[in-house]
Amino acid sequence: MWRTALLVSMLALGLAAADDLGLNRRSAVTFQAPELSSVHRGTASTVPLQFRIASGFHINSNQPKQEYLKKTELKLDPPTDIVIEKITYPEAQELSFAFAPEEKLSVYSGNFSIQVTVRPLQSVLPANYAVHGRLNYQACDKAACYPPKQLPVSFEVKVVKSAPGIKRNPAQSPHAHS
Amino acid sequence: MKRDPIVLLVVAVVISLMLVFGIQKTRHRPQHSGEKLEGQPAPDFSLSALDGKTLKLSDFHGKAVLLNFWATWCEPCKVEMPWFVDLQAKYRPQGLQVLGVAMDDASPKEISEFAKKMGVNYPIVIGKEAVGDEYGGIPYLPSTFYISRDGKVLERRFGLVSRSEIEADIQKALATPGQVAQK
């Protein structure tokens, strides 16, 4: 029985310690890597990137109303021949907080998604390509703000041959005769 | 003596709960190295003010100092600043000195413009992380330290607190013994 009691204590302690470490080390925003997306050469495709903001926190949107606030911004460093055509941010929430109830802030909270439009050039070889980058954000809770942070972001795209019917460069296409 | 298994289990659960709550209580406090800063001499520093001059904390020895770490990107900090302006005016004759430390990556010009816009009537210095570390680390803003007339840390407050709490801390700092400042 002593063993059971000891085991119960150790388990509870372990859980508490693990939770504690998690809280201290985790950032206010986490990134959920998307599943591998297939994209056709020469064609623009959208890859949705999912982020989660921890409960009780908010971050500024990509277009905060107040000039001094740090905007949330995704910076990507794609491989050569993979073009990032567009980054689309979600619609912001207009919220007021206890620290300034008369003021509306343009923020994200909870889960949000950033749409990344990628277009592999026609010249790129079909293969998997990793796109690395970072999400710049600055989080606050109801009473305090945390220093600006950079969350590493990466996702993979599987480049496949051009979709049928796409003939951007007919002279080099094996299907040019059709 | 025969050990009752139920009693043992209850004891184990109680001990576990106490430990878990202990850990949780600890983690809800800011994680710094300077847990015992209160009552200790406030670490002195020498930082550039917005007017280009160098200010030292020790320049204000004899005054009750409200040392406020803030940043332009911190919305709750903006809530406190007008209070500091009022309280600085109200308690200046009694020896209060509010001192802002901008923990910002904005340029001094931007910080200066921001401070002007906020009507700040107290000096602001450009902060350095090392100074924050001296104060046990500044994990988030606003963070405010109340320093007695004889240069010791009386209180520190993390996050936005009410004006009445700020005023109470100021009065506590002003009530400390020490030489009356001549500045």
Side-chain angles (χ1 to χ4, degrees):
Chain A
M1 192 61 206
W2 269 111
R3 284 183 190 167
T4 308
L6 190 63
L7 200 65
V8 169
S9 302
M10 297 286 282
L11 185 64
L13 263 180
L15 286 171
D19 185 40
D20 188 48
L21 286 173
L23 187 84
N24 290 334
R25 289 179 184 173
R26 79 181 184 197
S27 64
V29 183
T30 49
F31 169 63
Q32 189 179 353
E35 290 181 5
L36 184 65
S37 301
S38 290
V39 293
H40 291 102
R41 287 192 299 197
T43 306
S45 301
T46 301
V47 179
L49 303 183
Q50 305 291 339
F51 298 88
R52 172 183 281 267
I53 301 170
S55 174
F57 291 88
H58 64 268
I59 63 175
N60 297 313
S61 75
N62 178 245
Q63 293 181 311
K65 288 179 178 175
Q66 291 76 5
E67 59 180 320
Y68 292 103
L69 298 184
K70 299 281 184 190
K71 68 178 177 184
T72 294
E73 191 170 30
L74 182 65
K75 295 276 191 184
L76 294 173
D77 183 22
T80 310
D81 296 339
I82 305 283
V83 178
I84 303 297
E85 284 205 331
K86 193 178 174 188
I87 295 176
T88 307
Y89 295 88
E91 195 175 329
Q93 298 166 275
E94 303 285 319
L95 298 179
S96 45
F97 296 89
F99 52 75
E102 70 290 347
E103 191 177 21
K104 293 259 185 190
L105 299 181
S106 173
V107 300
Y108 304 136
S109 63
N111 298 336
F112 71 98
S113 172
I114 296 176
Q115 312 289 323
V116 179
T117 304
V118 296
R119 184 174 58 80
L121 298 182
Q122 284 287 358
S123 55
V124 71
L125 291 172
N128 289 2
Y129 292 86
V131 179
H132 299 287
R134 63 191 186 277
L135 183 78
N136 297 330
Y137 71 91
Q138 190 269 305
C140 296
D141 60 26
K142 62 182 179 181
C145 288
Y146 297 75
K149 280 199 171 183
Q150 294 188 341
L151 176 70
V153 168
S154 66
F155 61 93
E156 269 196 332
V157 290
K158 182 180 183 180
V159 176
V160 295
K161 289 180 180 175
S162 304
I166 302 293
K167 301 186 189 97
R168 288 177 183 270
N169 188 354
Q172 293 176 6
S173 167
H175 305 295
H177 59 279
S178 58
Chain B
M1 193 175 77
K2 192 179 176 183
R3 292 166 180 153
D4 185 339
I6 301 295
V7 172
L8 290 179
L9 194 61
V10 168
V11 168
V13 169
V14 167
I15 291 172
S16 301
L17 284 174
M18 287 169 68
L19 289 168
V20 168
F21 282 120
I23 287 172
Q24 297 223 339
K25 196 178 171 189
T26 302
R27 84 181 188 186
H28 283 137
R29 289 203 305 263
Q31 304 295 309
H32 331 122
S33 54
E35 287 291 335
K36 293 176 184 171
L37 204 58
E38 287 92 340
Q40 300 298 313
D44 198 10
F45 54 76
S46 180
L47 292 169
S48 296
L50 293 178
D51 61 4
K53 291 177 186 170
T54 299
L55 282 183
K56 289 181 180 177
L57 178 67
S58 51
D59 292 342
F60 303 108
H61 195 78
K63 292 191 173 187
V65 177
L66 183 160
L67 185 65
N68 172 241
F69 290 83
W70 68 285
T72 54
W73 42 259
C74 168
E75 279 288 311
C77 301
K78 281 170 63 180
V79 176
E80 288 185 334
M81 291 175 94
W83 299 342
F84 293 151
V85 169
D86 287 349
L87 294 166
Q88 173 66 95
K90 182 176 177 182
Y91 291 105
R92 176 177 278 129
Q94 296 174 46
L96 173 68
Q97 182 61 60
V98 178
L99 180 58
V101 183
M103 302 297 279
D104 223 300
D105 54 1
S107 69
K109 185 172 177 268
E110 287 171 314
I111 296 169
S112 187
E113 283 170 3
F114 182 92
K116 194 176 174 186
K117 207 170 166 181
M118 298 297 295
V120 167
N121 59 354
Y122 50 85
I124 286 178
V125 292
I126 309 298
K128 290 179 181 170
E129 207 167 312
V131 172
D133 291 343
E134 288 287 310
Y135 280 80
I138 307 295
Y140 46 85
L141 300 172
S143 291
T144 303
F145 295 76
Y146 295 85
I147 298 166
S148 63
R149 291 179 189 270
D150 62 353
K152 289 180 180 166
V153 176
L154 284 178
E155 291 287 353
R156 49 185 184 163
R157 306 289 182 199
F158 294 100
L160 177 66
V161 296
S162 69
R163 180 183 168 131
S164 58
E165 286 174 282
I166 292 170
E167 192 159 6
D169 283 331
I170 286 172
Q171 287 169 349
K172 192 173 162 186
L174 287 169
T176 55
Q179 66 184 72
V180 176
Q182 297 303 310
K183 296 182 183 213

